[in-house]
Amino acid sequence: MTPTATLPVALDAATIIATINTGLFIDGAWRPALSGATFAVENPATSVVLAHVADGGPADADLAIQAAGRAQKAWGKTSPRSRSEILRRAYDLLMSRQEELALVITSEMGKPLADARGEVAYAAEFFRWFSEEAVRVGGDHTITGDGKHRILVTREPVGPCVLVTPWNFPLAMGTRKIGPAIAAGCTIVFKPAELTPLTSLALVDILVEAGLPAGVLNVVTTSKAGSVVEPWMDSGIARKVSFTGSTAVGKLLLEQASRNVMRSSMELGGNAPFIVCADADLDRAVDGAMVAKMRNMGEACTAANRMFVHRSVATEFAAKLAQRMSELSVGDGAADGVNVGPLIEEKALLKVQGLVDDAVARGASVVVGGSREGGAGYFYQPTVLGNVSPDSLLMNTEIFGPVAPVVPFDTEDEAVELANNTPWGLVGYLYTQDIDRAFRLGEDLEVGMLGLNTGMVSNPFAPFGGVKQSGLGREGGKLGIDEYLEYKYLAIPR
Ligand code: NAP
Protein backbone atom coordinates (compact mmCIF):
# COMPACT_ATOMS: atom_id res chain seq x y z
CA MET A 1 0.00 0.00 0.00
CA THR A 2 1.39 3.42 -0.86
CA PRO A 3 1.91 5.97 1.90
CA THR A 4 -0.31 9.02 2.14
CA ALA A 5 0.85 11.16 -0.74
CA THR A 6 0.06 14.33 -2.55
CA LEU A 7 -1.46 13.56 -5.94
CA PRO A 8 1.04 14.43 -8.65
CA VAL A 9 0.16 17.03 -11.21
CA ALA A 10 -0.62 16.44 -14.90
CA LEU A 11 -0.26 12.69 -15.04
CA ASP A 12 -2.29 10.03 -16.77
CA ALA A 13 -5.16 8.31 -14.96
CA ALA A 14 -3.30 5.05 -14.30
CA THR A 15 -0.38 6.87 -12.66
CA ILE A 16 -2.71 8.95 -10.51
CA ILE A 17 -4.77 5.93 -9.46
CA ALA A 18 -1.56 4.09 -8.49
CA THR A 19 -0.93 6.78 -5.85
CA ILE A 20 -4.33 6.37 -4.17
CA ASN A 21 -4.39 4.43 -0.92
CA THR A 22 -6.65 1.42 -1.42
CA GLY A 23 -6.98 0.35 2.21
CA LEU A 24 -9.47 1.17 4.92
CA PHE A 25 -8.90 4.47 6.73
CA ILE A 26 -9.54 3.97 10.43
CA ASP A 27 -8.44 6.17 13.34
CA GLY A 28 -6.07 8.16 11.16
CA ALA A 29 -4.26 5.19 9.60
CA TRP A 30 -4.52 3.14 6.41
CA ARG A 31 -4.84 -0.61 6.88
CA PRO A 32 -5.95 -3.67 4.93
CA ALA A 33 -9.26 -5.36 5.70
CA LEU A 34 -8.88 -7.74 8.66
CA SER A 35 -9.79 -10.60 6.32
CA GLY A 36 -7.16 -9.45 3.82
CA ALA A 37 -9.85 -9.47 1.11
CA THR A 38 -10.01 -6.96 -1.73
CA PHE A 39 -12.40 -6.26 -4.61
CA ALA A 40 -11.76 -4.97 -8.10
CA VAL A 41 -12.77 -1.54 -9.43
CA GLU A 42 -13.39 -1.37 -13.19
CA ASN A 43 -13.47 1.33 -15.82
CA PRO A 44 -16.99 1.11 -17.33
CA ALA A 45 -15.72 2.41 -20.67
CA THR A 46 -13.25 -0.42 -21.12
CA SER A 47 -14.00 -3.05 -18.41
CA VAL A 48 -10.30 -2.78 -17.48
CA VAL A 49 -9.56 -3.25 -13.77
CA LEU A 50 -8.24 0.01 -12.33
CA ALA A 51 -7.34 -1.13 -8.82
CA HIS A 52 -8.13 -3.57 -6.03
CA VAL A 53 -9.59 -2.01 -2.90
CA ALA A 54 -9.84 -3.37 0.65
CA ASP A 55 -13.04 -5.32 1.18
CA GLY A 56 -14.12 -4.45 4.73
CA GLY A 57 -16.47 -6.54 6.87
CA PRO A 58 -18.22 -6.35 10.25
CA ALA A 59 -15.01 -6.47 12.30
CA ASP A 60 -13.54 -3.57 10.30
CA ALA A 61 -16.82 -1.72 10.68
CA ASP A 62 -16.59 -2.15 14.43
CA LEU A 63 -13.07 -0.69 14.56
CA ALA A 64 -14.25 2.29 12.51
CA ILE A 65 -17.28 3.13 14.63
CA GLN A 66 -15.29 2.68 17.83
CA ALA A 67 -12.73 5.19 16.52
CA ALA A 68 -15.47 7.65 15.58
CA GLY A 69 -17.04 7.24 19.00
CA ARG A 70 -13.74 7.87 20.83
CA ALA A 71 -12.97 10.97 18.76
CA GLN A 72 -16.43 12.58 19.10
CA LYS A 73 -16.07 14.36 22.43
CA ALA A 74 -12.81 16.18 21.70
CA TRP A 75 -13.79 16.91 18.09
CA GLY A 76 -17.15 18.35 19.11
CA LYS A 77 -15.35 20.81 21.38
CA THR A 78 -12.88 22.09 18.78
CA SER A 79 -13.41 25.70 17.80
CA PRO A 80 -15.73 26.39 14.87
CA ARG A 81 -12.94 28.44 13.29
CA SER A 82 -10.51 25.52 13.34
CA ARG A 83 -13.07 23.24 11.69
CA SER A 84 -13.88 25.97 9.21
CA GLU A 85 -10.23 26.33 8.25
CA ILE A 86 -9.79 22.60 7.68
CA LEU A 87 -12.70 22.71 5.25
CA ARG A 88 -11.38 25.82 3.54
CA ARG A 89 -7.94 24.23 3.08
CA ALA A 90 -9.60 21.09 1.74
CA TYR A 91 -11.54 23.25 -0.73
CA ASP A 92 -8.30 24.80 -1.97
CA LEU A 93 -6.62 21.40 -2.25
CA LEU A 94 -9.56 19.93 -4.15
CA MET A 95 -9.52 22.77 -6.64
CA SER A 96 -5.75 22.61 -7.05
CA ARG A 97 -6.17 18.92 -7.96
CA GLN A 98 -9.28 19.34 -10.06
CA GLU A 99 -7.74 17.75 -13.13
CA GLU A 100 -6.34 14.71 -11.33
CA LEU A 101 -9.56 14.07 -9.45
CA ALA A 102 -11.58 14.50 -12.64
CA LEU A 103 -9.46 11.80 -14.26
CA VAL A 104 -10.16 9.46 -11.35
CA ILE A 105 -13.91 10.15 -11.51
CA THR A 106 -14.03 9.58 -15.26
CA SER A 107 -11.99 6.38 -14.95
CA GLU A 108 -14.20 4.70 -12.38
CA MET A 109 -17.59 6.23 -13.13
CA GLY A 110 -17.47 6.97 -16.86
CA LYS A 111 -18.72 10.56 -17.15
CA PRO A 112 -16.89 12.76 -19.69
CA LEU A 113 -13.91 14.68 -18.35
CA ALA A 114 -15.61 18.06 -18.70
CA ASP A 115 -18.48 16.83 -16.49
CA ALA A 116 -16.01 15.31 -14.05
CA ARG A 117 -14.21 18.65 -13.74
CA GLY A 118 -17.59 20.21 -13.09
CA GLU A 119 -18.28 17.65 -10.39
CA VAL A 120 -14.99 18.45 -8.65
CA ALA A 121 -15.88 22.16 -8.58
CA TYR A 122 -19.41 21.38 -7.36
CA ALA A 123 -18.06 18.99 -4.71
CA ALA A 124 -15.38 21.41 -3.53
CA GLU A 125 -17.94 24.19 -3.16
CA PHE A 126 -19.70 22.21 -0.42
CA PHE A 127 -16.48 22.43 1.60
CA ARG A 128 -16.15 26.19 0.97
CA TRP A 129 -19.82 26.78 1.76
CA PHE A 130 -19.72 24.77 5.01
CA SER A 131 -16.40 26.35 6.01
CA GLU A 132 -18.40 29.58 6.04
CA GLU A 133 -21.39 28.05 7.82
CA ALA A 134 -19.24 26.45 10.56
CA VAL A 135 -18.69 29.81 12.23
CA ARG A 136 -22.33 30.95 11.90
CA VAL A 137 -24.11 28.32 13.99
CA GLY A 138 -26.25 30.44 16.24
CA GLY A 139 -28.69 29.84 19.03
CA ASP A 140 -31.55 31.73 20.62
CA HIS A 141 -32.41 33.57 23.79
CA THR A 142 -35.87 34.55 24.97
CA ILE A 143 -37.69 35.51 28.16
CA THR A 144 -40.75 33.46 29.05
CA GLY A 145 -44.17 35.13 28.84
CA ASP A 146 -44.48 35.39 32.60
CA GLY A 147 -41.04 37.02 32.76
CA LYS A 148 -39.77 34.44 35.24
CA HIS A 149 -37.32 32.46 33.10
CA ARG A 150 -34.65 32.91 30.51
CA ILE A 151 -34.66 30.35 27.72
CA LEU A 152 -31.27 29.78 26.18
CA VAL A 153 -31.18 27.57 23.10
CA THR A 154 -27.81 26.18 22.06
CA ARG A 155 -26.83 23.87 19.26
CA GLU A 156 -24.56 20.87 19.55
CA PRO A 157 -23.15 18.28 17.14
CA VAL A 158 -25.54 15.37 16.82
CA GLY A 159 -22.69 12.87 17.33
CA PRO A 160 -21.02 10.16 15.22
CA CYS A 161 -22.62 9.92 11.77
CA VAL A 162 -23.02 7.04 9.33
CA LEU A 163 -22.61 8.36 5.77
CA VAL A 164 -23.43 6.17 2.75
CA THR A 165 -23.16 7.40 -0.84
CA PRO A 166 -23.92 6.19 -4.39
CA TRP A 167 -21.66 5.84 -7.44
CA ASN A 168 -23.15 8.48 -9.74
CA PHE A 169 -21.42 11.54 -8.21
CA PRO A 170 -18.56 9.84 -6.38
CA LEU A 171 -17.01 13.06 -5.04
CA ALA A 172 -19.93 15.45 -4.61
CA MET A 173 -22.25 13.05 -2.78
CA GLY A 174 -19.46 12.59 -0.23
CA THR A 175 -18.52 16.25 0.28
CA ARG A 176 -22.21 17.22 0.54
CA LYS A 177 -22.34 15.13 3.74
CA ILE A 178 -18.75 15.27 5.03
CA GLY A 179 -18.66 19.09 4.74
CA PRO A 180 -21.58 19.83 7.09
CA ALA A 181 -20.63 16.97 9.44
CA ILE A 182 -17.14 18.45 9.91
CA ALA A 183 -18.54 21.99 10.19
CA ALA A 184 -20.97 20.90 12.91
CA GLY A 185 -18.33 18.94 14.86
CA CYS A 186 -19.53 15.39 14.15
CA THR A 187 -17.27 12.39 13.62
CA ILE A 188 -17.91 10.13 10.68
CA VAL A 189 -17.96 6.55 9.46
CA PHE A 190 -18.25 6.62 5.68
CA LYS A 191 -19.01 3.89 3.16
CA PRO A 192 -18.64 4.96 -0.47
CA ALA A 193 -20.16 2.96 -3.33
CA GLU A 194 -18.53 -0.30 -4.30
CA LEU A 195 -18.35 0.71 -7.97
CA THR A 196 -16.56 4.05 -7.36
CA PRO A 197 -14.48 3.99 -4.15
CA LEU A 198 -11.27 5.49 -5.59
CA THR A 199 -12.44 9.10 -5.65
CA SER A 200 -13.52 8.88 -2.00
CA LEU A 201 -10.18 7.36 -1.01
CA ALA A 202 -8.34 10.20 -2.79
CA LEU A 203 -10.53 12.63 -0.83
CA VAL A 204 -9.33 11.16 2.46
CA ASP A 205 -5.73 12.18 1.75
CA ILE A 206 -6.88 15.69 0.95
CA LEU A 207 -8.73 16.02 4.25
CA VAL A 208 -5.75 14.64 6.16
CA GLU A 209 -3.47 17.12 4.41
CA ALA A 210 -5.94 19.87 5.32
CA GLY A 211 -5.46 18.97 8.99
CA LEU A 212 -8.37 16.67 9.88
CA PRO A 213 -7.47 14.90 13.16
CA ALA A 214 -7.34 11.11 13.50
CA GLY A 215 -10.65 9.39 14.18
CA VAL A 216 -12.87 12.15 12.77
CA LEU A 217 -13.29 10.50 9.36
CA ASN A 218 -13.20 6.71 9.07
CA VAL A 219 -13.75 5.08 5.71
CA VAL A 220 -14.63 1.45 5.06
CA THR A 221 -14.92 0.24 1.49
CA THR A 222 -16.73 -3.04 0.95
CA SER A 223 -18.40 -5.30 -1.59
CA LYS A 224 -21.03 -6.28 1.01
CA ALA A 225 -22.64 -3.00 2.01
CA GLY A 226 -24.99 -4.44 4.60
CA SER A 227 -22.18 -6.21 6.45
CA VAL A 228 -20.57 -2.85 7.22
CA VAL A 229 -23.48 -0.44 7.47
CA GLU A 230 -25.83 -2.54 9.60
CA PRO A 231 -23.26 -3.02 12.40
CA TRP A 232 -22.81 0.77 12.41
CA MET A 233 -26.56 1.30 12.65
CA ASP A 234 -26.81 -1.22 15.49
CA SER A 235 -23.68 -0.02 17.32
CA GLY A 236 -25.45 2.36 19.64
CA ILE A 237 -22.53 4.73 19.02
CA ALA A 238 -23.76 6.27 15.77
CA ARG A 239 -26.40 8.96 16.38
CA LYS A 240 -27.26 9.82 12.80
CA VAL A 241 -27.43 8.31 9.32
CA SER A 242 -27.22 10.31 6.11
CA PHE A 243 -27.84 8.25 3.01
CA THR A 244 -27.95 9.03 -0.71
CA GLY A 245 -29.11 6.25 -2.96
CA SER A 246 -32.15 4.25 -3.97
CA THR A 247 -35.47 4.47 -2.18
CA ALA A 248 -35.38 0.71 -1.51
CA VAL A 249 -32.11 0.90 0.44
CA GLY A 250 -33.24 4.15 2.09
CA LYS A 251 -36.30 2.38 3.50
CA LEU A 252 -34.11 -0.43 4.81
CA LEU A 253 -31.83 2.06 6.57
CA LEU A 254 -34.82 3.88 8.05
CA GLU A 255 -35.97 0.58 9.57
CA GLN A 256 -32.49 0.04 10.97
CA ALA A 257 -32.35 3.64 12.23
CA SER A 258 -35.58 3.06 14.15
CA ARG A 259 -33.90 0.46 16.36
CA ASN A 260 -31.73 3.12 18.01
CA VAL A 261 -33.96 6.10 17.07
CA MET A 262 -31.22 7.72 14.98
CA ARG A 263 -31.56 11.05 13.23
CA SER A 264 -32.00 10.30 9.53
CA SER A 265 -31.38 12.23 6.32
CA MET A 266 -32.42 10.47 3.13
CA GLU A 267 -31.64 11.66 -0.41
CA LEU A 268 -33.43 9.03 -2.44
CA GLY A 269 -34.61 8.37 -5.95
CA GLY A 270 -36.48 10.70 -8.29
CA ASN A 271 -38.84 10.52 -11.25
CA ALA A 272 -38.62 14.11 -12.42
CA PRO A 273 -41.33 15.55 -14.66
CA PHE A 274 -40.15 18.04 -17.30
CA ILE A 275 -43.19 20.07 -18.36
CA VAL A 276 -43.19 22.16 -21.51
CA CYS A 277 -46.27 24.37 -21.84
CA ALA A 278 -47.64 25.60 -25.16
CA ASP A 279 -46.35 29.12 -24.43
CA ALA A 280 -42.79 28.00 -23.62
CA ASP A 281 -39.75 29.27 -25.49
CA LEU A 282 -39.17 25.95 -27.24
CA ASP A 283 -35.46 26.41 -27.97
CA ARG A 284 -34.83 27.31 -24.37
CA ALA A 285 -36.83 24.25 -23.30
CA VAL A 286 -34.71 22.03 -25.55
CA ASP A 287 -31.53 23.54 -24.07
CA GLY A 288 -32.87 22.82 -20.59
CA ALA A 289 -33.95 19.32 -21.55
CA MET A 290 -30.44 18.52 -22.76
CA VAL A 291 -29.05 19.46 -19.35
CA ALA A 292 -31.82 17.92 -17.27
CA LYS A 293 -31.72 14.68 -19.26
CA MET A 294 -28.12 14.26 -20.36
CA ARG A 295 -26.08 15.47 -17.38
CA ASN A 296 -24.27 12.37 -16.14
CA MET A 297 -25.66 10.32 -19.09
CA GLY A 298 -29.07 10.47 -17.40
CA GLU A 299 -27.66 8.71 -14.33
CA ALA A 300 -28.80 11.35 -11.87
CA CYS A 301 -31.60 11.48 -9.32
CA THR A 302 -32.42 14.88 -10.85
CA ALA A 303 -32.61 13.52 -14.41
CA ALA A 304 -35.72 14.51 -16.34
CA ASN A 305 -37.43 11.14 -16.45
CA ARG A 306 -40.76 12.05 -18.03
CA MET A 307 -41.17 14.87 -20.55
CA PHE A 308 -44.73 16.15 -20.63
CA VAL A 309 -45.11 18.45 -23.62
CA HIS A 310 -48.25 20.29 -24.74
CA ARG A 311 -49.69 18.44 -27.73
CA SER A 312 -49.46 21.55 -29.93
CA VAL A 313 -45.65 21.58 -29.66
CA ALA A 314 -44.83 17.96 -28.77
CA THR A 315 -43.76 16.83 -32.25
CA GLU A 316 -41.61 19.92 -32.81
CA PHE A 317 -40.04 19.60 -29.34
CA ALA A 318 -39.24 15.90 -29.88
CA ALA A 319 -37.70 16.64 -33.30
CA LYS A 320 -35.52 19.46 -31.97
CA LEU A 321 -34.45 17.37 -28.99
CA ALA A 322 -33.67 14.42 -31.27
CA GLN A 323 -31.55 16.67 -33.48
CA ARG A 324 -29.51 17.82 -30.49
CA MET A 325 -29.19 14.27 -29.15
CA SER A 326 -27.96 12.99 -32.51
CA GLU A 327 -25.14 15.59 -32.46
CA LEU A 328 -23.69 14.12 -29.24
CA SER A 329 -20.55 12.07 -29.37
CA VAL A 330 -20.67 8.80 -27.39
CA GLY A 331 -17.47 7.18 -26.17
CA ASP A 332 -14.84 6.85 -23.46
CA GLY A 333 -15.28 9.91 -21.25
CA ALA A 334 -11.52 10.42 -21.16
CA ALA A 335 -11.35 10.93 -24.94
CA ASP A 336 -11.44 14.41 -26.47
CA GLY A 337 -14.80 15.63 -27.73
CA VAL A 338 -16.90 12.94 -26.03
CA ASN A 339 -20.19 14.22 -24.54
CA VAL A 340 -21.74 10.93 -23.44
CA GLY A 341 -19.81 8.27 -21.55
CA PRO A 342 -20.77 4.67 -20.76
CA LEU A 343 -23.44 3.58 -18.30
CA ILE A 344 -22.04 2.30 -15.04
CA GLU A 345 -22.40 -1.44 -15.69
CA GLU A 346 -23.93 -4.09 -17.95
CA LYS A 347 -26.95 -4.47 -15.64
CA ALA A 348 -27.76 -0.77 -16.10
CA LEU A 349 -27.53 -1.10 -19.87
CA LEU A 350 -29.88 -4.08 -19.94
CA LYS A 351 -32.35 -2.23 -17.71
CA VAL A 352 -32.41 0.80 -20.03
CA GLN A 353 -32.84 -1.38 -23.11
CA GLY A 354 -35.71 -3.24 -21.43
CA LEU A 355 -37.48 0.04 -20.62
CA VAL A 356 -37.13 1.30 -24.19
CA ASP A 357 -38.39 -2.01 -25.62
CA ASP A 358 -41.40 -1.89 -23.31
CA ALA A 359 -42.28 1.69 -24.30
CA VAL A 360 -42.00 0.82 -27.99
CA ALA A 361 -44.17 -2.27 -27.49
CA ARG A 362 -46.81 0.06 -25.99
CA GLY A 363 -46.80 2.30 -29.04
CA ALA A 364 -43.92 4.78 -28.60
CA SER A 365 -41.97 5.86 -31.67
CA VAL A 366 -38.16 5.93 -31.65
CA VAL A 367 -37.30 9.45 -32.85
CA VAL A 368 -33.56 8.87 -32.42
CA GLY A 369 -31.34 6.19 -30.84
CA GLY A 370 -33.03 3.23 -29.21
CA SER A 371 -30.24 0.70 -28.78
CA ARG A 372 -26.83 0.01 -27.25
CA GLU A 373 -23.62 0.86 -29.05
CA GLY A 374 -21.50 -2.08 -30.19
CA GLY A 375 -18.04 -2.92 -28.83
CA ALA A 376 -16.63 -2.97 -25.29
CA GLY A 377 -18.02 -0.77 -22.54
CA TYR A 378 -21.61 -0.10 -21.54
CA PHE A 379 -22.63 2.53 -24.07
CA TYR A 380 -26.24 3.42 -24.90
CA GLN A 381 -27.32 5.74 -27.69
CA PRO A 382 -28.88 9.10 -26.75
CA THR A 383 -32.53 8.33 -27.36
CA VAL A 384 -35.78 10.25 -27.81
CA LEU A 385 -39.08 8.39 -27.74
CA GLY A 386 -42.22 10.11 -29.05
CA ASN A 387 -45.86 9.53 -28.09
CA VAL A 388 -45.00 7.49 -25.03
CA SER A 389 -47.96 5.91 -23.28
CA PRO A 390 -48.27 6.95 -19.61
CA ASP A 391 -48.57 3.29 -18.61
CA SER A 392 -45.08 2.46 -19.93
CA LEU A 393 -42.68 1.05 -17.36
CA LEU A 394 -40.22 3.92 -17.79
CA MET A 395 -42.85 6.35 -16.51
CA ASN A 396 -42.83 4.60 -13.16
CA THR A 397 -39.16 3.84 -12.61
CA GLU A 398 -35.92 5.77 -12.76
CA ILE A 399 -34.53 5.27 -16.27
CA PHE A 400 -30.97 6.20 -15.21
CA GLY A 401 -29.86 6.38 -18.85
CA PRO A 402 -29.84 8.76 -21.84
CA VAL A 403 -33.47 8.18 -22.83
CA ALA A 404 -36.03 11.00 -23.11
CA PRO A 405 -39.67 9.86 -23.31
CA VAL A 406 -42.00 12.56 -24.66
CA VAL A 407 -45.62 12.34 -23.52
CA PRO A 408 -48.14 14.81 -25.02
CA PHE A 409 -50.71 16.52 -22.75
CA ASP A 410 -53.73 18.68 -23.51
CA THR A 411 -54.57 20.64 -20.35
CA GLU A 412 -52.63 22.15 -17.47
CA ASP A 413 -54.55 20.01 -14.96
CA GLU A 414 -53.67 16.90 -16.91
CA ALA A 415 -49.97 17.84 -16.87
CA VAL A 416 -50.01 18.31 -13.10
CA GLU A 417 -51.90 15.07 -12.56
CA LEU A 418 -49.47 13.12 -14.73
CA ALA A 419 -46.45 14.78 -13.07
CA ASN A 420 -47.69 14.02 -9.55
CA ASN A 421 -48.72 10.46 -10.38
CA THR A 422 -45.60 8.92 -8.83
CA PRO A 423 -44.45 8.00 -5.33
CA TRP A 424 -41.37 10.21 -5.80
CA GLY A 425 -41.09 13.99 -5.47
CA LEU A 426 -37.49 15.12 -5.78
CA VAL A 427 -37.43 17.71 -8.54
CA GLY A 428 -39.51 19.00 -11.43
CA TYR A 429 -38.83 21.28 -14.38
CA LEU A 430 -41.32 23.72 -15.85
CA TYR A 431 -41.06 25.74 -19.05
CA THR A 432 -43.58 28.54 -19.51
CA GLN A 433 -43.45 32.26 -20.17
CA ASP A 434 -46.69 32.92 -18.30
CA ILE A 435 -45.86 34.08 -14.79
CA ASP A 436 -49.26 33.19 -13.35
CA ARG A 437 -49.02 29.69 -14.76
CA ALA A 438 -45.49 29.36 -13.40
CA PHE A 439 -46.61 30.11 -9.84
CA ARG A 440 -49.81 28.05 -10.16
CA LEU A 441 -48.03 24.93 -11.38
CA GLY A 442 -45.08 25.57 -9.10
CA GLU A 443 -47.43 25.32 -6.12
CA ASP A 444 -49.28 22.28 -7.44
CA LEU A 445 -46.28 20.13 -8.30
CA GLU A 446 -45.32 17.72 -5.51
CA VAL A 447 -41.55 18.21 -5.53
CA GLY A 448 -38.83 19.48 -3.21
CA MET A 449 -37.18 21.50 -5.99
CA LEU A 450 -38.42 23.11 -9.18
CA GLY A 451 -36.36 24.35 -12.13
CA LEU A 452 -38.35 27.18 -13.69
CA ASN A 453 -37.12 27.69 -17.25
CA THR A 454 -33.87 25.97 -16.27
CA GLY A 455 -32.72 22.38 -16.53
CA MET A 456 -30.35 22.56 -13.55
CA VAL A 457 -31.21 22.87 -9.85
CA SER A 458 -28.18 21.35 -8.09
CA ASN A 459 -26.30 24.11 -6.29
CA PRO A 460 -24.38 24.07 -3.00
CA PHE A 461 -26.08 27.35 -2.05
CA ALA A 462 -29.55 25.77 -2.22
CA PRO A 463 -31.38 23.27 0.00
CA PHE A 464 -31.32 20.05 -2.04
CA GLY A 465 -33.90 17.39 -1.25
CA GLY A 466 -37.25 15.87 -2.00
CA VAL A 467 -40.72 15.10 -0.70
CA LYS A 468 -42.75 11.86 -0.73
CA GLN A 469 -40.50 8.82 -1.24
CA SER A 470 -37.62 10.97 -2.48
CA GLY A 471 -36.45 11.46 1.04
CA LEU A 472 -36.14 13.36 4.28
CA GLY A 473 -34.08 16.45 5.05
CA ARG A 474 -32.06 18.86 2.94
CA GLU A 475 -28.41 19.02 1.91
CA GLY A 476 -26.58 22.25 1.10
CA GLY A 477 -27.68 25.83 1.57
CA LYS A 478 -28.40 27.32 4.98
CA LEU A 479 -30.37 24.23 6.02
CA GLY A 480 -27.59 21.74 5.27
CA ILE A 481 -25.77 22.06 8.59
CA ASP A 482 -29.00 21.67 10.60
CA GLU A 483 -29.06 17.99 9.73
CA TYR A 484 -25.91 17.56 11.86
CA LEU A 485 -26.93 19.67 14.87
CA GLU A 486 -29.18 19.07 17.87
CA TYR A 487 -30.94 21.76 19.87
CA LYS A 488 -30.48 22.01 23.61
CA TYR A 489 -32.53 24.38 25.72
CA LEU A 490 -31.50 25.66 29.12
CA ALA A 491 -34.16 26.98 31.50
CA ILE A 492 -32.67 29.71 33.68
CA PRO A 493 -34.69 31.43 36.42
CA ARG A 494 -34.47 35.24 36.44
P1 NAP B 1 -28.09 2.13 -4.03
O1 NAP B 1 -28.04 0.80 -4.65
O2 NAP B 1 -29.20 2.42 -3.09
O3 NAP B 1 -26.68 2.34 -3.32
C1 NAP B 1 -26.36 3.51 -2.64
C2 NAP B 1 -25.39 3.17 -1.53
O4 NAP B 1 -26.04 2.30 -0.60
C3 NAP B 1 -24.14 2.44 -2.01
O5 NAP B 1 -23.05 2.84 -1.24
C4 NAP B 1 -24.51 1.00 -1.72
O6 NAP B 1 -23.41 0.15 -1.58
C5 NAP B 1 -25.24 1.16 -0.42
N1 NAP B 1 -26.06 0.00 -0.08
C6 NAP B 1 -26.61 -0.91 -0.92
N2 NAP B 1 -27.26 -1.85 -0.20
C7 NAP B 1 -27.13 -1.52 1.10
C8 NAP B 1 -27.55 -2.11 2.33
N3 NAP B 1 -28.27 -3.24 2.36
N4 NAP B 1 -27.24 -1.50 3.48
C9 NAP B 1 -26.51 -0.37 3.47
N5 NAP B 1 -26.06 0.23 2.35
C10 NAP B 1 -26.37 -0.34 1.18
O7 NAP B 1 -28.13 3.28 -5.13
P2 NAP B 1 -27.15 3.47 -6.36
O8 NAP B 1 -27.56 2.55 -7.44
O9 NAP B 1 -25.74 3.44 -5.91
O10 NAP B 1 -27.46 4.98 -6.75
C11 NAP B 1 -28.53 5.33 -7.54
C12 NAP B 1 -29.69 5.80 -6.71
O11 NAP B 1 -29.27 6.91 -5.92
C13 NAP B 1 -30.82 6.31 -7.56
O12 NAP B 1 -32.03 5.88 -7.01
C14 NAP B 1 -30.68 7.82 -7.46
O13 NAP B 1 -31.86 8.52 -7.69
C15 NAP B 1 -30.20 7.96 -6.05
N6 NAP B 1 -29.55 9.26 -5.86
C16 NAP B 1 -30.21 10.19 -5.13
C17 NAP B 1 -29.64 11.45 -4.95
C18 NAP B 1 -30.35 12.50 -4.15
O14 NAP B 1 -29.69 13.45 -3.75
N7 NAP B 1 -31.64 12.39 -3.91
C19 NAP B 1 -28.40 11.73 -5.51
C20 NAP B 1 -27.74 10.75 -6.24
C21 NAP B 1 -28.34 9.50 -6.40
P3 NAP B 1 -22.85 -0.67 -2.84
O15 NAP B 1 -22.28 0.32 -3.75
O16 NAP B 1 -21.83 -1.56 -2.26
O17 NAP B 1 -24.03 -1.40 -3.42
Side-chain angles (χ1 to χ4, degrees), residues 165 167 176 191 194 243-246 267-269 301 398 464:
T165 54
W167 49 265
R176 201 163 75 170
K191 193 209 83 63
E194 177 190 356
F243 171 74
T244 298
S246 61
E267 295 288 350
L268 308 178
C301 53
E398 285 186 290
F464 189 104

Side-chain angles (χ1 to χ4, degrees), residues 354-365 385-396:
L355 291 173
V356 170
D357 291 347
D358 169 78
V360 170
R362 292 175 202 257
S365 57
L385 301 177
N387 257 320
V388 173
S389 162
D391 66 357
S392 305
L393 292 178
L394 48 60
M395 302 297 285
N396 301 303

